[in-house]
Each structure stands twice: as C-alpha cells, then as structure tokens.
Amino acid sequence: MEESIQKQTTIFARYVDMFMEKLPSLIIAIITVIIGVIIAKVVKRMLTRFLKKYKSSVGLVSFFINLSQVTIIITACMQALSGLGVNTTSFAAVLGAAGFSIGLAFKEVLANLGSCMIILFFKPFDIGDYIMCEGTEGTVYEIQMFSTTLKTNDNKLIIVPNTQVTTNPVINFTAQEKRRIDYVFNVEYDTDVKKLYEIANKLFDSDPSILNSPKPLIGVESMDNNIIRFVAKPWVSTKDYWDTYYRLMEAFKHEFDINGIELSRVHIVNGNK
C-alpha cells in the first residue's frame, strides 16, 4: 500500500516538474495568442478606416477584414504551438493534405468562393444595385463568401450561388445615373399618329423628371396586321425611374381616353427595373 502511494506521489511529482518546466513556455504561448488577437483587432480597425476612406466595396472591405483577422490569429496560434515544442511543419502538412481532400469533396463550395473573389475585385455589381441573372432579379442585399443575397420588391430574400452570377449574363439596372423608360403602345391602324406625338410630347414636356438630354425617343416603330406600334421612350434619373414610370402610364391612359384613342393591345417593354 505504501509502495503504491509512493509510486503515485513520484508520478505526480514528475508531472509537476514537467509542468513547471513548461510553464514559462506555456505563459509565452498564451501571451503570444493574446497579442495576436490584439493585433488582429488593431488591423481590423485600421483596414476598416483605410478601405472605407477610399470607398471600397462593402463586400470587399468585409472580406479583407475577415481574411486578415483569421490569418493573424492562425499565425499567432502556430507560433504559440511552436514555442511549446509542437512540430508545426508536420501539422501544416496534415492541414495541407486535409485541405486537398476537402477541396475535392467541396469543389462546388470552393468554386463559389472563387466567384466571390471575382465579384469583389471586378465589381460587376455592388450592394444596393438592382440586378437580374437567369430570370432571378432583386436588389443586392449582401455579398457573402459563397452566395449573393438579393432582396425582391416584395421584400423576399433570394440566395444565389456566386458561380451563377459569374458564369451567366448579369443585367445591372442601376449601375448608370440615367435610365430610359420604354413605353410601347399598339393602336388601331386608323389612329391619328400626329395626335400620338402631341400626347407624348405634352406629357414629357410637363413632367419635371424627364431629362432633356438624351432627348426622348418618340415615333412609329412598325405597322403590320392593321396595327401601329407606337413607341415613347423618355430618359430619367435612376432614382426617379419607378415614380415616373407609373405616373406617366396613368397620364397616357387618361390622354388616350380623352382623345378617343383605342389600343389594340398594350405591350409595355420595360427593360429597366
């Protein structure tokens, strides 16, 4: 019994000695990690101020901040492990092999990550832009590492994989300051075309949102099947698009009713969302 107690005491003393021997290295390792976290926070603040000062993309700012933080903290942890005697070279090799295997298993995920880099660096669109891709449209709400979130006009969120918006055509409706409203009316063949011109010019001249440059495009686009295809396409500031669109549509309806103009079929070509 006494021999067993003495043996356990000896083992305990050995572990205490080992702990005391490693204590300075352990303290240094903890301090190293703490310093790494502090540096990461300082770098985060500096990058935030620097990148926002130069009006960088919100998604790009967020990506670089997160990448910098993670890189600094991982470096600090590796340095701490190295100070404790851990072979970080082997550890890095294991991580590399694991990363290769994970890459094969999650190639679609990595493809989305690569697409995120393309979006952030080349900026085909930015947060707040209204875009359409493969029939999906909405305002860009967030650009994440693997997907882009769109918010529809009825306040729904659509999650779109980043690969979809980098491998398919994307229409950015709000990238320019000016936008054109396209009205196309199909009227009866015997309609007085001059009256159509008068109505369009009257409405465009009286509406303060209509821009003088470029000038509105007004005219007869085609005549077939006993139908005249009349177009009226004014330019407006992007911010005024929807208000002007609905206001003028009501005004056209009112003027057509007053002047007895009958529509065979109203076909509205609306290329700007």
Side-chain angles (χ1 to χ4, degrees):
M1 184 67 178
E2 292 180 359
E3 182 179 351
S4 177
I5 293 174
Q6 185 178 2
K7 184 177 181 180
Q8 292 178 1
T9 303
T10 302
I11 294 174
F12 178 75
R14 186 182 305 168
Y15 279 114
V16 170
D17 291 339
M18 290 177 60
F19 176 76
M20 295 302 295
E21 182 181 348
K22 291 290 184 179
L23 183 59
S25 298
L26 181 61
I27 294 174
I28 293 175
I30 294 173
I31 293 174
T32 300
V33 173
I34 293 174
I35 292 175
V37 172
I38 294 174
I39 292 176
K41 290 182 178 180
V42 172
V43 171
K44 175 183 178 180
R45 287 196 294 267
M46 293 176 62
L47 279 177
T48 301
R49 293 175 182 174
F50 177 77
L51 294 176
K52 287 185 177 180
K53 177 181 178 181
Y54 290 95
K55 299 181 180 180
S56 301
S57 165
V58 176
L60 188 61
V61 170
S62 177
F63 178 81
F64 270 118
I65 289 174
N66 292 333
L67 179 63
S68 300
Q69 276 190 298
V70 171
T71 301
I72 293 172
I73 292 175
I74 290 177
T75 302
C77 291
M78 294 289 286
Q79 187 65 34
L81 290 174
S82 178
L84 291 174
V86 177
N87 189 349
T88 54
T89 303
S90 301
F91 184 67
V94 171
L95 286 179
F100 179 76
S101 301
I102 293 173
L104 292 178
F106 297 96
K107 59 180 181 180
E108 294 296 332
V109 175
L110 294 178
N112 283 315
L113 178 60
S115 296
C116 173
M117 298 293 295
I118 294 175
I119 294 171
L120 295 178
F121 278 103
F122 292 98
K123 295 201 296 187
F125 53 83
D126 207 341
I127 292 175
D129 288 347
Y130 194 99
I131 68 171
M132 180 169 67
C133 178
E134 291 294 290
T136 301
E137 60 183 278
T139 302
V140 180
Y141 180 72
E142 190 175 13
I143 302 174
Q144 299 175 332
M145 296 182 70
F146 305 110
S147 63
T148 295
T149 303
L150 305 181
K151 180 182 287 187
T152 63
N153 290 329
D154 55 353
N155 209 33
K156 295 177 182 177
L157 293 180
I158 303 177
I159 310 300
V160 183
N162 285 332
T163 52
Q164 182 172 326
V165 295
T166 55
T167 57
N168 294 294
V170 175
I171 302 175
N172 190 333
F173 295 107
T174 54
Q176 302 297 322
E177 294 182 356
K178 300 177 182 179
R179 301 170 63 186
R180 193 179 71 183
I181 304 175
D182 292 358
Y183 296 109
V184 179
F185 302 109
N186 293 325
V187 299
E188 297 294 339
Y189 193 79
D190 58 355
T191 301
D192 185 353
V193 175
K194 290 184 178 180
K195 180 60 67 175
L196 294 175
Y197 274 94
E198 290 176 4
I199 291 173
N201 283 315
K202 172 186 174 182
L203 294 179
F204 294 164
D205 290 341
S206 62
D207 195 305
S209 297
I210 302 301
L211 301 177
N212 293 323
S213 180
K215 292 183 178 181
L217 175 63
I218 304 172
V220 175
E221 187 176 71
S222 63
M223 295 180 292
D224 49 23
N225 297 324
N226 293 323
I227 292 176
I228 296 176
R229 187 179 176 88
F230 182 79
V231 298
K233 303 179 179 181
W235 288 84
V236 297
S237 297
T238 300
K239 60 183 178 62
D240 297 329
Y241 177 83
W242 280 115
D243 289 340
T244 308
Y245 171 82
Y246 289 119
R247 183 171 62 251
L248 283 178
M249 179 59 73
E250 294 178 4
F252 270 112
K253 174 64 170 62
H254 178 70
E255 290 293 332
F256 286 173
D257 289 344
I258 292 177
N259 290 277
I261 297 175
E262 296 182 3
L263 301 178
S264 295
R265 180 171 59 91
V266 179
H267 176 59
I268 307 165
V269 177
N270 182 14
N272 300 316
K273 296 295 180 182

